Structure formats: C-alpha cells, structure tokens
Amino acid sequence: MTSDPTPVRPVEVDRTSPVPLYYQVATRLQELIESGEIGVGDRIENEVDLADRLGVSRPTTRRAIQYLVERGMLVRKRGVGTQVVHPKVRRPVELSSLYDDLIAGDQGPRTAVLSLAVVPADATVAAALNLVPGAEVTWIERLRYAGDEPLALMHNAIPLDVRDFKREELEVRGLYELLRRAGRVPRMATQVIGARNATLAEARMLGEKRGASLLTMTRTAWDDRGRALEYGSHLYRAARYSFELNLSAG
Amino acid sequence: MTSDPTPVRPVEVDRTSPVPLYYQVATRLQELIESGEIGVGDRIENEVDLADRLGVSRPTTRRAIQYLVERGMLVRKRGVGTQVVHPKVRRPVELSSLYDDLIAGDQGPRTAVLSLAVVPADATVAAALNLVPGAEVTWIERLRYAGDEPLALMHNAIPLDVRDFKREELEVRGLYELLRRAGRVPRMATQVIGARNATLAEARMLGEKRGASLLTMTRTAWDDRGRALEYGSHLYRAARYSFELNLSAG
DNA sequence: CACAAGACTTTGTCAGGACAAAGTATTGAC
DNA sequence: GTCAATACTTTGTCCTGACAAAGTCTTGTG
C-alpha cells in the first residue's frame, strides 16, 4: 500500500520579488522537508498538480524539484513520482567546504603567518600552476591553531599577477577572502588527500612526536577562466583533523 | 579585443535515436572541447544561433550547455557569452569514483575475503546504519592487493535484508556489483577521511612496520529511498594510496 | 579626452502545450 | 486463481514564444 502524496500546504509565490520563482518554490519545499512536514520516504505531489496549485508553470515546478534532486533531497522516478530521500541538503562536496580551512581563518582559529616571500617556483609548483619553471610566485607558510594547539602547517603558492599580499591582511582576513577581494574566485579545484609520518622538523612545529601520522592535502584551484589561482600543500595532525565528504550520484 | 566565438562545425542531431537531443548536443560539444577544436578561453557560439544551426530549440541547447556547465567545462555569463574553462570533464566527485575500490575488485587488483559472517552490530555500526544496537549485520573483512603487495584492509557491514552474500561471489564480483545485482544502488554517501599510525596487528597484515602512517576512510552509503546500504571502515597504506577529488563550485 | 546615456548582445526566467516512456493498477481471458 | 493485455499516472523530452537582466560597445555631450 503506497501512502498518499503529502500535499504542500499554503504556498504562495511572490511575483514582485527579484528571487526567481523556481527558487522560491524550491526553498519552500526544502523548508517543508527539513522541518519534517514531509518525511523521508513520503512522496510529494506530482508536478502538474503542484504547478497548478502554486499558480506557476510546470517547467518552473520541474526546475525547483530538479534543484532539490541535484542536492540529494529528492529522487524522481518516471511513472511513480517524486520521493524524499534525505531530510538535509547533502551538498555534493563544495568548494566552500573544501576551503573551510581558509574561510575559518576569518573567524575562530588563529593562523600565524610564518613566512611570506616571492620566490621562484620549484618544479612541483610550476607544474601545478601551469607556469614556466623558475617563474616567481608568492610563497606563504602558515601555522593554523585550534585553541592553543597547533593543528596544521599550510604552504601556498600564488602566481604573482593574482595579488600583492601583506602579512597583516593575511593574518586577519585569510587567504580565501583576499583572493575574493582581488576578484579571483575559485571555480574548480583538484585535491589529493594522503598521509605520511611526520619528520622531526614537522613534528616539532606541530607539537607531535616524530613519526606521528599526518594527513596531507595538496590542492590546485582555478578561477572562472581556467587560470591557476592557488597551489596548496598542507599538513594536518591526523589525531586532530579529518576530512568529511558528502557525495551523491545522479 | 575579444576573439570571435568558435563556430561548432558539422553537427547534426539524430532524431530517430533514443538518445535525448540535449544529450547528443552536449556530447558533441564535449568532444569538440576535449579534442581541442574549441580551446580553453574560447567563447562558444551563443545559444540562439547554435540552436538555429543545429535545428533544435533553444531550451534544448540550453540544457546541453547547462550539462557541461555543471561538469565544470563551461562557464556562462549573462550579456557576455559562454566560455570554455576546462578541457576535461571535472566530475564533482562521483559515487563511482568513491567506489572505485569496490568496482576495481571486478577487474585488476585481487581481493581476498578474510572473513564473512553474520554478527550483531556494535554501537558504531548500528549508529551508522541506523539500526537498533545488537541487530545482526553481515560483516565482511577483506584484504585488497595491488600486484603482490597488500594495499588496503577493508571492513564492511551490510544490513541483513540487503542481500545474502557468498564468499566466492564476493571475491569474484566485488561488493558493489553484488549490491547492484540486488537492486540496491547507492545514491548518497558520507565519508570521513583521516589517518593514524598502524598497530602491530594492522602493520603485519598490510606488510608495513608498526607505526606506519595509514589512511582511514569510513563511509556510509544510502540507496534511493534513504535506506542504509553499507557501512565501511577501511585502512589504506598511505605510502601506496591517496584519494583524488575534483571539485567545482557553482 | 573623459564620461555618461543609450543601443546591442547574450544569457536568465517563465509560460503553455504536446507527445513519449516507464511504472503501477486494473481488467479480462483461460 | 494466474497471467497477460490494457488503462492510467507520473516524469522525461521537446517545441515556440516572450520578456528581463547583465554585460559590452557605441555614440554623443561637456
């Protein structure tokens, strides 16, 4: 016995608002699902009826539903209907979460800039940023703290044309924010997560014992036009840090 | 001086094909970009003209372009046009790549099933799979090899109602394939990647020294209807394995 | 020459309609 | 009763048409 689809109750769209209709509908649906009014496993009203009742066209309704399907909240099946599969938005791994270490620099955890200099790129950096070997880059070394304890040792290389960095700004605002202010917004990134044992020097900086397990993460980020923006090579204390990913398959 | 948009040359859509038109167009565009006929930074023809020339409607063309935008190959700007930002498809982290360790079991690397038994779920497993503590699950322990060398030690817990597993099948087909055959397709997953030093027992199984750095990955996967499908807790030799992710921000 | 107003280009949103395809439920024949 | 054919529901694809909004380029004014 299949349960009847839950009708979406009082919903009105605001046609004077600059917010697109499909987005208004999607947001409303999302609220209903997150609040539990439409539970996991429930079917929602079919597109045609929903569109009618909201007073919008079917394409608009479809687009709203599609938006939530892509976010992993809903699943559609032809001939069957649209079902809630998850009450929370499961983002398909966002750059924002990827950059949380940088964003977070704006708020809580303290970040110390250990060094900031213009140096010639070594082979690895040059390859990652698609530069000619020996081209100059801004090289940043930072130590991130969580409370009093060191958490991560972060190295970044940024092409010279991206921006001129100042130490104080970097400590206060964080790398990500500075890039954004320069109008260079990351659009794409590849990252590799691995692990290895700490060297003596690394262990000392991070307050670990030699040989302690460290998480390694290297990342290259590109902007809108495919220009390399940033190369990062970071070390995290494995005992105090892990990466969390939410994935969805369409 | 902006360069003229590259016209997409001989393209025809096949209306007798069961492949959707928008997908045909997207595939054709993708080929042109991957082959380099349309280079990074080039603008492609505008939607309206493209649609005209292909003999399809603008919404269909838009959908094709949208598809490639979501994959990170193209970027659109209102009033400007659509530009190529990356010549290869950068998938936003797929479940398929997430499951490569399982899929790969079908082909190259050998996987030995160390144990396969029905046991009561411990607290961690029960919580991850959303079961009552003590409920029975199929518990699988496997050792993955790359060539002659051990690569990973994998533990999985699968709710009993999902499927009845046989050792031989598991060795030959891999877990993922067996789940798929049971009609339980993973749609969503959360995973946590961390690291720690190997215990003596783990080191022995993996052919490492005690204290060697290991990558840890725990994952819970859900199917279509939000039912927990699989919990996995895996250990990888950090010296021989790393996770690669491609991310895009919309 | 500098700068603002306007024209133009291009993508973004939205409507309404039509038919196809994939499930589900019902009906009918044996 | 069982099973296959049929009807029905629901999403998937595709079309035409229209206007809005955000850039870019041109033009004209001071």
Side-chain angles (χ1 to χ4, degrees), chain A residues 38-142:
Chain A
I38 310 182
V40 170
D42 288 354
R43 269 192 322 163
I44 67 170
E45 203 176 2
N46 77 65
E47 296 174 357
V48 181
D49 292 352
L50 184 56
D52 270 4
R53 210 153 45 66
L54 297 181
V56 299
S57 71
R58 188 180 157 212
T60 300
T61 310
R62 266 186 79 76
R63 189 163 174 187
I65 292 173
Q66 187 59 36
Y67 179 78
L68 296 179
V69 168
E70 278 158 12
R71 304 202 143 206
M73 292 182 94
L74 301 176
V75 168
R76 307 214 248 199
K77 283 201 192 111
R78 186 189 312 204
V80 179
T82 304
Q83 249 185 340
V84 178
V85 291
H86 209 279
K88 285 186 301 186
V89 181
R90 300 209 158 273
R91 296 162 198 280
V93 184
E94 293 196 348
L95 267 181
S96 56
S97 83
L98 192 167
Y99 279 95
D100 62 350
D101 47 350
L102 301 172
I103 294 169
D106 301 341
Q107 310 162 6
R110 188 166 61 89
T111 305
V113 176
L114 302 183
S115 69
L116 173 68
V118 174
V119 301
D122 66 25
T124 308
V125 172
L129 293 176
N130 206 18
L131 299 173
V132 294
E136 295 197 312
V137 296
T138 306
W139 181 252
I140 303 170
E141 187 177 42
R142 291 177 298 165

Side-chain angles (χ1 to χ4, degrees), chain A:
Chain A
M1 187 63 40
T2 340
S3 59
D4 278 345
T6 309
V8 180
R9 282 173 323 137
V11 190
E12 288 135 33
V13 291
D14 176 7
R15 284 179 182 275
T16 68
S17 160
V19 178
L21 288 180
Y22 77 89
Y23 194 80
Q24 292 183 39
V25 175
T27 304
R28 179 67 184 135
L29 281 172
Q30 188 176 328
E31 283 168 10
L32 289 170
I33 292 165
E34 280 178 351
S35 75
E37 286 196 60
I38 310 182
V40 170
D42 288 354
R43 269 192 322 163
I44 67 170
E45 203 176 2
N46 77 65
E47 296 174 357
V48 181
D49 292 352
L50 184 56
D52 270 4
R53 210 153 45 66
L54 297 181
V56 299
S57 71
R58 188 180 157 212
T60 300
T61 310
R62 266 186 79 76
R63 189 163 174 187
I65 292 173
Q66 187 59 36
Y67 179 78
L68 296 179
V69 168
E70 278 158 12
R71 304 202 143 206
M73 292 182 94
L74 301 176
V75 168
R76 307 214 248 199
K77 283 201 192 111
R78 186 189 312 204
V80 179
T82 304
Q83 249 185 340
V84 178
V85 291
H86 209 279
K88 285 186 301 186
V89 181
R90 300 209 158 273
R91 296 162 198 280
V93 184
E94 293 196 348
L95 267 181
S96 56
S97 83
L98 192 167
Y99 279 95
D100 62 350
D101 47 350
L102 301 172
I103 294 169
D106 301 341
Q107 310 162 6
R110 188 166 61 89
T111 305
V113 176
L114 302 183
S115 69
L116 173 68
V118 174
V119 301
D122 66 25
T124 308
V125 172
L129 293 176
N130 206 18
L131 299 173
V132 294
E136 295 197 312
V137 296
T138 306
W139 181 252
I140 303 170
E141 187 177 42
R142 291 177 298 165
L143 194 54
R144 156 72 47 83
Y145 291 88
D148 292 335
E149 294 239 355
L151 182 67
L153 180 60
M154 311 195 292
H155 293 98
N156 289 93
I158 290 121
L160 279 193
D161 61 315
V162 170
R163 208 199 133 97
D164 187 30
F165 287 95
K166 291 196 179 56
R167 196 185 197 100
E168 306 77 45
E169 273 192 319
L170 203 52
E171 296 218 342
V172 178
R173 302 217 179 270
L175 180 54
Y176 183 77
E177 176 64 17
L178 291 186
L179 289 175
R180 254 184 13 112
R181 290 188 179 220
R184 303 293 291 267
V185 186
R187 254 287 156 43
M188 215 118 51
T190 60
Q191 62 177 16
V192 177
I193 298 174
R196 64 177 170 79
N197 297 98
T199 66
L200 184 55
E202 290 162 354
R204 278 189 183 144
M205 296 188 82
L206 288 168
E208 283 279 359
K209 290 183 191 156
R210 176 171 161 180
S213 200
L214 300 180
L215 265 172
T216 64
M217 195 264 275
T218 62
R219 171 177 63 216
T220 307
W222 291 275
D223 74 357
D224 264 17
R225 306 190 197 166
R227 298 174 297 187
L229 246 190
E230 177 239 355
Y231 168 78
S233 175
H234 308 320
L235 288 171
Y236 300 84
R237 291 172 70 186
R240 303 190 161 269
Y241 197 89
S242 59
F243 295 96
E244 193 175 335
L245 309 173
N246 292 314
L247 309 181
S248 65

Side-chain angles (χ1 to χ4, degrees), chain B residues 21-238:
Chain B
L21 288 180
Y22 77 89
Y23 194 80
Q24 292 183 39
V25 175
T27 304
R28 179 65 184 137
L29 281 172
Q30 187 177 327
E31 283 169 10
L32 289 170
I33 292 165
E34 280 179 351
S35 74
E37 286 194 61
I38 309 182
V40 171
D42 289 354
R43 270 193 318 161
I44 67 169
E45 203 176 3
N46 77 65
E47 296 174 0
V48 181
D49 292 354
L50 184 57
D52 270 5
R53 211 154 45 65
L54 297 181
V56 300
S57 70
R58 189 181 157 212
T60 300
T61 310
R62 268 186 78 76
R63 189 163 175 187
I65 293 172
Q66 188 60 35
Y67 180 77
L68 296 179
V69 168
E70 278 158 13
R71 305 202 142 207
M73 293 182 94
L74 301 176
V75 169
R76 307 215 248 198
K77 280 194 194 120
R78 186 187 315 201
V80 180
T82 304
Q83 246 184 344
V84 178
V85 291
H86 209 280
K88 285 187 299 184
V89 180
R90 300 208 159 275
R91 296 163 196 278
V93 184
E94 293 196 349
L95 268 181
S96 55
S97 84
L98 191 168
Y99 279 96
D100 62 350
D101 48 350
L102 301 172
I103 294 169
D106 300 343
Q107 310 161 6
R110 189 165 59 89
T111 306
V113 175
L114 301 184
S115 69
L116 172 67
V118 175
V119 302
D122 66 26
T124 308
V125 171
L129 293 176
N130 206 17
L131 300 172
V132 294
E136 295 197 313
V137 296
T138 305
W139 181 252
I140 303 170
E141 186 177 41
R142 290 176 299 165
L143 194 55
R144 156 73 46 84
Y145 291 88
D148 293 335
E149 295 239 353
L151 182 67
L153 180 60
M154 312 194 292
H155 293 98
N156 290 92
I158 291 121
L160 277 193
D161 60 316
V162 170
R163 208 199 131 98
D164 187 31
F165 287 95
K166 292 198 178 55
R167 197 183 197 103
E168 307 77 45
E169 272 191 321
L170 202 52
E171 296 220 343
V172 178
R173 303 217 180 271
L175 180 54
Y176 182 77
E177 175 65 18
L178 291 187
L179 289 175
R180 255 185 10 112
R181 289 188 179 220
R184 303 294 289 268
V185 185
R187 256 286 156 45
M188 214 118 51
T190 61
Q191 60 177 19
V192 177
I193 299 173
R196 63 177 171 80
N197 297 97
T199 66
L200 184 55
E202 289 162 354
R204 278 190 180 143
M205 296 187 84
L206 288 168
E208 285 278 359
K209 290 182 190 156
R210 176 170 161 181
S213 200
L214 299 179
L215 266 172
T216 63
M217 195 264 274
T218 63
R219 173 179 59 216
T220 308
W222 291 276
D223 73 358
D224 264 18
R225 305 189 196 166
R227 299 174 296 187
L229 245 189
E230 177 239 353
Y231 168 77
S233 174
H234 308 320
L235 288 171
Y236 300 84
R237 293 171 69 184

